[in-house]
Amino acid sequence: MTLPLPRYSRITGTGSFLPSRRVTNAQLAEELAQRGVETSDEWIVARTGIHARHFAAPEVTASDLGFEAAKHALEAAGRSAADIDLIIVATSTPDMIFPSSACLIQQKLGVHGCPAFDLQAVCSGFVYALTVADSMIRTGAASKALVIGAEVFSRILDFNDRTTCVLFGDGAGAVVLEASDQPGLLASELHADGRHVGILCTPGTVAGGKVLGDPLLKMDGQAVFKLAVGVLEDVARSVLAKAGRQDADIDWLIPHQANIRIMQGTAKKLKLPLEKLIVTVDEHGNTSAASIPLALDHAVRTGRIKQGDTVMLEGVGGGFTWGAVLLDF
Ligand code: ACO
């Protein structure tokens, strides 16, 4: 009897898309001042490393951004939409309650029949989605997946709350993940701790035709900061151990792009020189589930991440959720 060959998954193409309206800290500070909300470029840069973010026009949705990112990823992989047999979209800002943004993107791509669903794990969403797609490919349930992170966080920001509205932006990133006899994804791990639901949430909902509760983002920044620093180190070490690799084997670290201080702290704990840290938070702000695939695509297209490089992706966010994926690109 011949045993089936081991089946792995590998990223074969990346893509991303940003809305055209780029808003610098100075521009945002000026807009907020008109509401009586005081902030400054100096404060935002010093506390977060953010210089600018992109905001989508009112009529542009997460599925519009995700669709554009998906097209770029398909082109990079040399695939057409018809080749895809699974679509997963990580988002916390879907176009509508249902159908899912994944079904809307499938329709925009002009293909039909393959499974398509949204996955909601806030800023850990892309790492969650990649892990689910990898599992489905390994079991033979799919062969060529589109994994997308797409967000319009500007829709859920309270522009009267300076502690949160300066942090986030809109955008999308995508990868094509394909079955392979050589490992691409080496190991991954996901976690959640619902005891911390209150430190980062958008608690409103819709019922009886009305919005019930507050539909705008709330965050206890310091509580999130403290939790994030600890879990990002622990999960990276655990995933390295699972893959039989060491800190020094990491060529590139792509943590969730929320705050440069958390990202640099994580690199330091993993004893990685800062040159190995991919940073896009300066130009994108925190784009939640889109931040990791946006940063990955940026690093690939600027020639830093090359085929064969070992990359650690790390997500952390509302839920509280966190996770990591180690891969050979
Ligand atoms: N402009 C000017 N001043 C401000 C602003 C602002 N935009 N925001 C807050 N301040 C003031 C505060 O009022 C406070 O003033 P006070 O000392 O007079 O009271 C002072 O600045 C310091 O505020 P802190 O909250 O202590 O600032 P901190 O250094 O903690 O930075 C920040 C805040 C940037 C939010 C930080 O805590 C952080 O990055 N936390 C983690 C966020 C994160 O990682 N999120 C990831 C997940 S996101 C997701 O899942 C959706």
Side-chain angles (χ1 to χ4, degrees):
M1 188 180 95
T2 51
L3 289 170
L5 285 170
R7 192 171 153 104
Y8 303 100
S9 76
R10 174 174 281 277
I11 292 176
T12 55
T14 67
S16 62
F17 187 77
L18 290 163
S20 58
R21 187 173 165 236
R22 177 177 179 269
V23 180
T24 64
N25 291 343
Q27 287 167 328
L28 186 60
E30 214 176 293
E31 284 174 25
L32 294 177
Q34 286 166 18
R35 299 168 170 262
V37 175
E38 200 190 319
T39 189
S40 65
D41 178 51
E42 292 72 28
W43 190 95
I44 302 170
V45 172
R47 302 287 175 138
T48 70
I50 297 168
H51 291 262
R53 74 286 294 140
H54 291 246
F55 285 148
E59 68 282 5
V60 173
T61 64
S63 79
D64 291 329
L65 302 179
F67 170 55
E68 296 299 331
K71 283 194 295 186
H72 293 146
L74 286 168
E75 199 183 330
R79 296 288 180 196
S80 77
D83 297 325
I84 295 301
D85 57 11
L86 171 67
I87 302 172
I88 308 180
V89 178
T91 185
S92 300
T93 48
D95 297 30
M96 49 182 91
I97 292 175
F98 69 80
S100 66
S101 297
C103 286
L104 299 175
I105 291 175
Q106 187 199 53
Q107 191 261 340
K108 286 174 189 183
L109 287 168
V111 292
H112 316 283
C114 75
F117 59 92
D118 285 4
L119 189 157
Q120 213 268 51
V122 202
C123 301
S124 310
F126 185 76
V127 163
Y128 264 65
L130 201 58
T131 302
V132 171
D134 172 60
S135 307
M136 289 179 72
I137 286 174
R138 282 172 188 256
T139 60
S143 300
K144 294 181 185 66
L146 254 177
V147 185
I148 303 167
E151 303 279 17
V152 281
F153 253 57
S154 59
R155 301 288 152 75
I156 55 168
L157 295 179
D158 179 354
F159 286 96
N160 291 312
D161 176 8
R162 68 177 182 173
T163 67
T164 54
C165 72
V166 300
L167 305 174
F168 295 89
D170 302 335
V175 302
V176 175
L177 190 72
E178 299 196 27
S180 165
D181 54 6
Q182 295 298 318
L185 264 67
L186 303 169
S188 66
E189 201 171 291
L190 304 177
H191 294 277
D193 186 344
R195 286 175 300 179
H196 304 293
V197 287
I199 63 170
L200 181 49
C201 54
T202 301
T205 188
V206 173
K210 292 193 182 112
V211 175
L212 291 191
D214 193 336
L216 299 176
L217 183 147
K218 304 274 166 278
M219 178 167 78
D220 177 345
Q222 288 189 2
V224 172
F225 197 109
K226 276 184 209 142
L227 270 173
V229 170
V231 298
L232 287 174
E233 182 191 7
D234 292 348
V235 77
R237 294 214 174 282
S238 183
V239 167
L240 279 169
K242 271 188 184 173
R245 303 277 180 109
Q246 315 289 324
D247 300 359
D249 295 327
I250 300 174
D251 293 310
W252 299 103
L253 175 65
I254 308 185
H256 170 47
Q257 309 279 316
N259 184 316
I260 192 72
R261 292 185 291 149
I262 298 177
M263 293 163 60
Q264 290 177 342
T266 305
K268 210 167 151 187
K269 286 187 170 180
L270 295 174
K271 299 187 185 67
L272 295 178
L274 292 183
E275 299 81 66
K276 292 189 171 191
L277 181 66
I278 302 292
V279 177
T280 51
V281 70
D282 54 342
E283 274 298 312
H284 301 169
N286 179 348
T287 57
S288 193
S291 92
I292 292 173
L294 259 166
L296 173 65
D297 184 52
H298 191 262
V300 170
R301 285 175 195 263
T302 52
R304 278 178 294 165
I305 295 185
K306 296 191 179 60
Q307 207 168 0
D309 284 356
T310 300
V311 185
M312 175 72 82
L313 310 179
E314 289 197 277
V316 60
F320 203 69
T321 55
W322 66 101
V325 172
L326 187 72
L327 58 92
D328 282 342
F329 190 73

